[in-house]
Amino acid sequence: MPFHLRGTVLPDGTVRDLWTLGDRITLRRPSVPADTVADGGFLMPGLVDVHTHPGSAAGDETAFDPEVFADQIAAHREAGVTALRFPGLLGEIPDELREAPGSPRMITAGRWLAWAGLSRGAAFHTVTDDLVAAAVAETKAHDGWCKIMGDWDLEAPPVPYELLRAVVDGVHAAGGRVAAHCQSAAGVLGAARAGVDSIEHGMGMPQECVALMAGHGTTYVPTLTPFARRAPLVDTGSARGRLWHEGRRTMIRRVREAYDAGVTVLAGTDSAPHGNVAAEVMHLVEAGLPPAAAVGAAGWTARAFLGLPLLTEGALADITVYDTDPREEPAVLRHPRRVMLRGRIIR
């Protein structure tokens, strides 16, 4: 049986009727009866988390656990997240889970690729002597993305600019896009100069990066939530701790500056707890994004970035419904009245 929804459709703000036929939306009343599952409220395309790494149990970042992955994906889904980008996964997603009726849309970037000259890293990084070839291979093997460790921490030397520029050129020639992890000023500057497609984190971002990102069309995914969670635990009495806190403060300032310069800023949560993209939206608001832009960072703007449609004829039947306008009250994202995924009612 088709489902019927009526409400204010975002982001355009018009009151419309939508119907679902299977896993698609239609704006034309079907010839068969439909069950009305939402009458009033605000209808959004499903939420998006553009930076999350599900699949590893707490305390174990070296092994991919399909059961843990499924549980963490379920947490995203229950929160109204219907699309996910994984800039780095420990393993391959089982086909039956990726295409399951209750699974959000999944966009992967393959493994975390690390330059062989990276002096410090993590066990889950894939170190390679040929970063360009590895990046192109990951792009082709997954969903048109690769993930490069532009650096790892605040003090380790980053990937040399010439090498990162070669990665970007090679991946773009193959029709793909590059996400770059950056946590040092030098790492962020190199990534911004090289024209990567998205800068992830961007701690300590130099001011000049804002114009570089705007000029290259680079998207900024600051992942403020895990940094806010960690901040009380970082010792301000040490030089390294003070550097970390200054880097975080700089990152927060750059969010609004980037937005004002025309850079696309998006919402990603990075780590556990999963299904927490509403918290990232609130952190973006606190950083100075207008509420509507912050909601769009996990909604319509993020979907455009990933090539996913809005609530239009023939679009994917991934819909969230809220009692109040999230553009004015972003906190309502924590409490969806209705979540539909692939045309099925989740809640």
Side-chain angles (χ1 to χ4, degrees), residues 250-303:
T250 300
M251 176 175 62
I252 292 171
R253 287 198 302 273
R254 298 292 182 255
V255 168
R256 179 60 195 243
E257 293 170 1
Y259 173 80
D260 286 343
V263 174
T264 297
V265 179
L266 297 181
T269 60
D270 191 24
S271 56
H274 296 273
N276 199 30
V277 76
E280 182 69 14
V281 170
M282 297 309 300
H283 283 300
L284 291 174
V285 172
E286 292 168 4
L289 251 64
V295 173
W300 44 86
T301 308
R303 295 183 76 85

Side-chain angles (χ1 to χ4, degrees), residues 51 147-154 158 164 179-192 196 198-205 220-223 227 251:
H51 186 128
K147 171 71 172 289
I148 303 297
M149 304 308 298
D151 57 27
W152 178 233
D153 58 24
L154 294 170
L164 193 51
H181 167 110
C182 303
Q183 273 187 266
S184 70
V188 183
L189 180 58
V196 300
S198 68
I199 288 177
E200 317 292 318
H201 315 305
M203 202 175 195
M205 180 185 292
Y220 185 28
V221 187
T223 66
F227 288 92
M251 176 175 62

Side-chain angles (χ1 to χ4, degrees), residues 113 117 160 163 167 253 273 292 320 330:
L113 298 177
L163 177 56
V167 168
R253 287 198 302 273
T320 51

